[in-house]
Amino acid sequence: MRKRIRIIFIWTLISVLLQFGGYYILNNQVQSVISPLGVTAQPITTQLKATIPAANLTNIKISYAKDYLAYTENGTLKVFNLKQNKVVFQKAPPVNDKSLGVLMYQWLPDRNMLLYFYAKKNPHPVTYSTVYPSKRTIQVPASTSGSIQVMPKTDDPNQKLVREVPKTVTKEITGAPQLVKRYGNSQITELYSLDLPNSDETTAPDDRFNQTINSFPAGGKIENLVVSTSTNLMYLTVKSSSKELLLEIDVMKNVRTLSRTGETIDNMAASDRYGTLFMDSNQGGVHQIIALDGSKRQIISENNNDRILGIKDGKVYIGEVQDNQLLKIKTTPDLSHMTNRPSLTTEWQGTIPYSSSTSTLIGAKGQMIICNQQTAYIETSGHLNEVKLHGDENYISADGAELIQLTKQGASTLVELQPLQS
């Protein structure tokens, strides 16, 4: 009996160990699918130089792994492999219409995938359909002769016939069909995802169509685009000649309009934990910082000088700006359920030049980076450091770890990458 129990125990232990091993392998495979490049505690940095055979580069954005550079050249989106020194993808605007094409693009913060919106003319903005009127019934004389007797309403049984009426039948008639003209959107706006392979490989990028944004207004321009990868929510502000829209796109490809009539949005940031959208809202002459969770709104600040700077690792960063100077950096916790008018903690106080062209981001180590083309101001735990920039154009990666310096050399552009010294 003891031997049998021992055998059962041994096989049970082996079964449990095999299950744990299987779960471990499965978990690693799932992680490799969710984050193909892996999740590291430290952001990826590199040091290299590359020459791009073009001089007029705009809207520079570097990939998560710092090995691809996306830019626009004469209206065409191009992706340059910095390790192989070549263009590996390009998307030009439609023929004979430079006003359309790629409207906006952005790298995902955790993998080498580029999202972009592409606009083209609708070949069928006007459609025609045949409408058939509903059927109705009428009474018509019967085709055979004859009549029916109608007795008067009386209690006298001796009352004689007073009149006769012809026999009738019921007939259905239908009106003539009509051709109806219907007007649709004159522009088709589509969302694509471009998945890039490891930069050492020669595999072509996977350019995938995701969906058509039917509510996108013709002629609209995307001014802001933010993505919350943890919740798969995407927010974008679209400005047309007549209105401004705030759109939300979820993982099920549902598109919702979240803005209010007459509302404009200057800047916004999405929570990397809960997907809550924080934005600078202006409506009816009133400026507020709003936390938007679905259709539910909470007021974070009513100070006319406060601006949303970003969100990272459970903190919402707010800047107080007056006379083109950033005077304070304040924070409040990023909660799953925000409340109205939460308390704000001052993290730093001083003066930093701040204008509409100033870019702000929060690095992977929680440092606030305020950058113009000459200087990067880096605030860390209340201490400020200034880093002088030397390229003709200077950019910083979204994780705050990499400095991208562009220097024009005739008809080419030298791109130099190096870790940002904070």
Side-chain angles (χ1 to χ4, degrees):
M1 178 61 70
R2 291 182 179 178
K3 184 177 181 181
R4 182 178 300 176
I5 293 174
R6 189 181 301 113
I7 292 173
I8 294 174
F9 174 77
I10 292 173
W11 280 109
T12 301
L13 180 61
I14 293 173
S15 176
V16 171
L17 292 175
L18 288 174
Q19 288 183 47
F20 274 111
Y23 290 147
Y24 177 79
I25 294 172
L26 179 61
N27 181 68
N28 286 340
Q29 290 177 341
V30 170
Q31 288 296 329
S32 67
V33 172
I34 294 176
S35 300
L37 297 176
V39 177
T40 59
Q42 298 296 325
I44 297 173
T45 57
T46 188
Q47 190 159 357
L48 59 81
K49 293 182 180 180
T51 300
I52 297 177
N56 300 314
L57 312 183
T58 58
N59 200 13
I60 304 295
K61 295 186 179 182
I62 195 163
S63 67
Y64 159 80
K66 317 299 188 304
D67 49 3
Y68 289 101
L69 197 70
Y71 60 90
T72 302
E73 180 188 3
N74 298 324
T76 297
L77 166 64
K78 294 186 178 182
V79 178
F80 191 85
N81 187 320
L82 292 167
K83 290 187 177 180
Q84 298 186 23
N85 275 284
K86 65 178 183 179
V87 174
V88 294
F89 176 81
Q90 54 186 335
K91 191 73 170 275
V95 178
N96 300 325
D97 199 337
K98 300 294 184 181
S99 64
L100 300 177
V102 176
L103 303 177
M104 175 69 79
Y105 49 91
Q106 181 169 306
W107 292 101
L108 289 185
D110 59 353
R111 70 199 71 181
N112 275 357
M113 178 179 287
L114 185 73
L115 302 177
Y116 69 92
F117 291 84
Y118 188 84
K120 59 186 179 183
K121 282 186 176 180
N122 186 351
H124 305 290
V126 179
T127 58
Y128 297 87
S129 60
T130 303
V131 176
Y132 295 91
S134 58
K135 294 181 179 180
R136 60 190 179 93
T137 59
I138 59 173
Q139 299 294 323
V140 298
S143 58
T144 58
S145 61
S147 61
I148 59 173
Q149 296 179 348
V150 178
M151 298 298 292
K153 295 181 178 180
T154 176
D155 293 333
D156 185 358
N158 297 320
Q159 178 67 45
K160 294 182 179 181
L161 176 68
V162 295
R163 64 189 178 94
E164 292 184 353
V165 296
K167 291 182 179 180
T168 62
V169 295
T170 300
K171 183 178 181 181
E172 286 189 346
I173 62 171
T174 304
Q178 295 181 338
L179 198 63
V180 177
K181 181 186 293 186
R182 302 186 188 277
Y183 296 90
N185 197 331
S186 62
Q187 176 179 309
I188 296 176
T189 306
E190 300 169 331
L191 172 62
Y192 288 81
S193 59
L194 183 70
D195 196 0
L196 280 299
N198 188 294
S199 56
D200 295 326
E201 300 176 5
T202 57
T203 307
D206 183 12
D207 186 27
R208 289 175 294 195
F209 166 78
N210 285 344
Q211 68 183 104
T212 299
I213 315 298
N214 295 316
S215 56
F216 199 102
K221 303 298 180 184
I222 301 177
E223 297 196 327
N224 294 290
L225 171 63
V226 296
V227 179
S228 174
T229 54
S230 61
T231 58
N232 289 310
L233 287 173
M234 183 185 307
Y235 300 96
L236 58 150
T237 54
V238 183
K239 189 172 184 179
S240 65
S241 58
S242 59
K243 58 185 176 181
E244 182 172 330
L245 299 175
L246 170 62
L247 302 180
E248 176 196 76
I249 305 175
D250 64 24
V251 68
M252 302 304 294
K253 301 184 179 181
N254 299 312
V255 181
R256 293 197 301 165
T257 301
L258 302 178
S259 51
R260 293 177 173 176
T261 303
E263 181 179 38
T264 60
I265 298 168
D266 294 331
N267 192 27
M268 59 186 188
S271 168
D272 52 355
R273 293 185 175 184
Y274 310 112
T276 308
L277 182 70
F278 294 83
M279 61 186 188
D280 293 333
S281 169
N282 300 281
Q283 189 176 19
V286 177
H287 171 84
Q288 296 176 327
I289 295 180
I290 299 292
L292 184 59
D293 183 6
S295 58
K296 186 177 182 181
R297 291 181 173 224
Q298 302 289 353
I299 299 173
I300 303 303
S301 171
E302 295 178 289
N303 186 335
N304 192 58
N305 297 318
D306 282 354
R307 303 289 183 269
I308 186 70
L309 298 178
I311 306 168
K312 193 76 173 180
D313 294 337
K315 277 188 177 182
V316 181
Y317 292 77
I318 295 169
E320 186 173 322
V321 179
Q322 293 186 46
D323 301 324
N324 292 327
Q325 296 287 326
L326 176 64
L327 305 179
K328 290 182 182 179
I329 297 176
K330 300 176 282 188
T331 63
T332 191
D334 176 21
L335 305 175
S336 58
H337 299 286
M338 299 297 298
T339 58
N340 270 321
R341 302 172 182 86
S343 60
L344 304 178
T345 301
T346 299
E347 302 276 349
W348 172 88
Q349 190 168 351
T351 57
I352 297 176
Y354 194 93
S355 66
S356 58
S357 61
T358 302
S359 62
T360 62
L361 59 92
I362 304 163
K365 299 179 181 179
Q367 72 274 31
M368 170 62 65
I369 302 174
I370 301 97
C371 181
N372 55 43
Q373 285 298 319
Q374 293 78 39
T375 308
Y377 301 89
I378 305 172
E379 181 273 327
T380 307
S381 302
H383 301 285
L384 188 67
N385 183 33
E386 296 185 22
V387 177
K388 294 299 181 182
L389 310 178
H390 303 290
D392 294 336
E393 296 180 35
N394 302 281
Y395 303 89
I396 297 174
S397 61
D399 56 14
E402 194 79 14
L403 174 62
I404 304 101
Q405 296 187 137
L406 274 60
T407 305
K408 293 185 179 180
Q409 297 181 334
S412 300
T413 301
L414 173 65
V415 180
E416 184 173 358
L417 269 62
Q418 58 185 309
L420 178 64
Q421 301 300 322
S422 57

